[in-house]
Amino acid sequence: MHVLVKGAGVAGLAVAHELSLRGADVTVMNPGSHQAASWFAGGMLAPWCECESADKAVLLCGGDAIDRWDTMLPGEVQRNGTLVVAPARDQGELDRFAGRTGGHEWLNDEQISALEPALAGRFRRALFFPLEGHLNPRRALGLLREKLIARRVKFIDQMNETTGYDDIVDCTGAARIGQMSGLRGVRGEMLYLYTQDVALARPVRLLHPRFPVYIVPRGDGLFMVGATMIETEHGGPISARSMMELLNAAYAVHPAFADAAVVEAGVGIRPAFADNFPRVSREADAVVLNGLYRHGFLLAPAMAKEAVDLVFSRTEPGGSDR
């Protein structure tokens, strides 16, 4: 079976990986650049934390994401958990977060210091989610692409027609906004900061009534700070307001971030449906996987399996092969 995968973000690469494992001949077409939502992702595999604002389906679908990524890219996932903190004036936010999530334990100031020495004396209590993890999205995308090439998956930038394939899987994300019913864009903005004066072993989420922010260590003094959620499909540079809010949040976690270098500011448009949960569906000539919202790396492996199941259902007894 020869399958064309449109899109080389996390969804497209996860689908291509699943197809190759099942013996398909796979071609991946990347109609744009790598500078899509996947490129600006946090890479947090945090299904329990996400339940604070997401449906339980996210936990059910993404609960084994760490194991799935470990299978795809052994050794790339850091299983250090997630730490959730709040300023003294916003302790009620921490209680509210705890009430809406599971899989956590409460830490006092001494336990926080033992877990993250850089935060010693800064927070008197926190929530720790020990079963969560994270990876570096840009590194993961590159390594997964290399692995697929080694498995004889072909990558192309464009094509004039899509005939000659047994099936097509469309994973073009935000490019389908305006073409796919109910699909909207949610703008996310992020910063990369560099400092040698802070060391963190895991993502730290800072709760705030208006804009919860996360800081994800990338190693060698580099930190990703994100991410806003703005209901707009407008791209363009990061706004001054968002940059100030992200920097203020980083400073609230550790004052040394005030002297960090701003290495990069980025904007990604996340495709989402009304329920903020992705969908896999069969259109006239393709299987479509879209709407990963802010859960791209968390949900892509499971959704890729669902999409590939739909592809292979056409050649199984009771299916409808072309």
Side-chain angles (χ1 to χ4, degrees), residues 60-83:
L60 294 174
C61 186
D64 62 350
I66 289 179
D67 292 335
R68 289 179 184 269
W69 277 107
D70 257 345
T71 298
M72 284 194 287
L73 298 174
E76 287 302 309
V77 176
Q78 299 187 49
R79 297 173 178 257
N80 295 335
T82 303
L83 188 67

Side-chain angles (χ1 to χ4, degrees), residues 14-26 68 71-72 147-148 151 153 308 312:
V15 166
H17 185 269
E18 184 71 20
L19 284 166
S20 70
L21 288 179
R22 301 200 199 181
D25 180 10
V26 186
R68 289 179 184 269
T71 298
M72 284 194 287
K147 180 179 180 181
L148 291 172
R151 296 182 64 87
V153 172
V308 175
F312 277 87

Side-chain angles (χ1 to χ4, degrees), residues 12-293:
L13 295 183
V15 166
H17 185 269
E18 184 71 20
L19 284 166
S20 70
L21 288 179
R22 301 200 199 181
D25 180 10
V26 186
T27 297
V28 178
M29 180 179 68
N30 186 16
S33 71
H34 289 294
Q35 309 296 309
S38 298
W39 191 250
F40 299 110
M44 294 179 294
L45 307 177
W48 286 270
C49 278
E50 289 302 318
C51 283
E52 182 269 338
S53 59
D55 189 87
K56 293 294 184 182
V58 170
L59 176 59
L60 294 174
C61 186
D64 62 350
I66 289 179
D67 292 335
R68 289 179 184 269
W69 277 107
D70 257 345
T71 298
M72 284 194 287
L73 298 174
E76 287 302 309
V77 176
Q78 299 187 49
R79 297 173 178 257
N80 295 335
T82 303
L83 188 67
V84 181
V85 299
R89 67 180 182 276
D90 296 321
Q91 288 299 295
E93 292 298 311
L94 204 57
D95 293 321
R96 183 187 62 81
F97 196 95
R100 295 180 61 86
T101 59
H104 55 68
E105 55 192 63
W106 283 99
L107 303 184
N108 59 30
D109 54 353
E110 292 183 359
Q111 292 169 316
I112 296 170
S113 300
L115 197 66
E116 291 287 4
L119 303 184
R122 299 206 50 77
F123 303 97
R124 50 186 190 84
R125 61 181 188 146
L127 289 169
F128 180 49
F129 294 77
L131 298 180
E132 297 187 335
H134 70 286
L135 48 70
N136 185 327
R138 297 181 181 183
R139 177 176 168 83
L141 291 172
L143 290 174
L144 191 52
R145 184 184 179 108
E146 291 176 7
K147 180 179 180 181
L148 291 172
I149 291 173
R151 296 182 64 87
R152 302 187 183 278
V153 172
K154 183 180 179 181
F155 284 81
I156 59 176
D157 292 328
Q158 59 184 358
M159 61 181 5
N160 296 324
E161 58 183 31
T162 57
T163 58
Y165 295 95
D166 298 298
D167 212 343
I168 299 170
V169 184
D170 189 314
C171 302
T172 51
R176 293 295 305 273
I177 294 173
Q179 304 172 16
M180 194 170 186
S181 177
L183 191 68
R184 76 189 198 282
V186 182
R187 176 182 167 109
E189 299 159 312
M190 51 71 69
L191 301 174
Y192 269 99
L193 305 180
Y194 174 80
T195 177
Q196 290 289 347
D197 296 327
V198 183
L200 297 174
R202 56 191 51 78
V204 176
R205 295 186 181 225
L206 178 74
L207 302 184
H208 183 282
R210 190 159 56 85
F211 55 94
V213 172
Y214 50 80
I215 300 176
V216 188
R218 294 285 189 246
D220 298 324
L222 195 62
F223 298 85
M224 187 269 201
V225 184
T228 60
M229 290 181 290
I230 303 171
E231 291 286 339
T232 179
E233 297 161 11
H234 172 67
I238 188 172
S239 68
R241 175 177 178 173
S242 293
M243 181 173 286
M244 287 188 291
E245 289 180 340
L246 292 173
L247 290 173
N248 284 336
Y251 178 81
V253 171
H254 198 292
F257 279 117
D259 296 317
V262 180
V263 177
E264 179 184 341
V267 174
I269 304 300
R270 307 177 179 111
F273 294 106
D275 60 358
N276 294 330
F277 194 78
R279 299 177 189 172
V280 172
S281 59
R282 165 71 70 181
E283 292 189 351
D285 62 345
V287 172
V288 179
L289 193 174
N290 212 317
L292 283 167
Y293 183 47

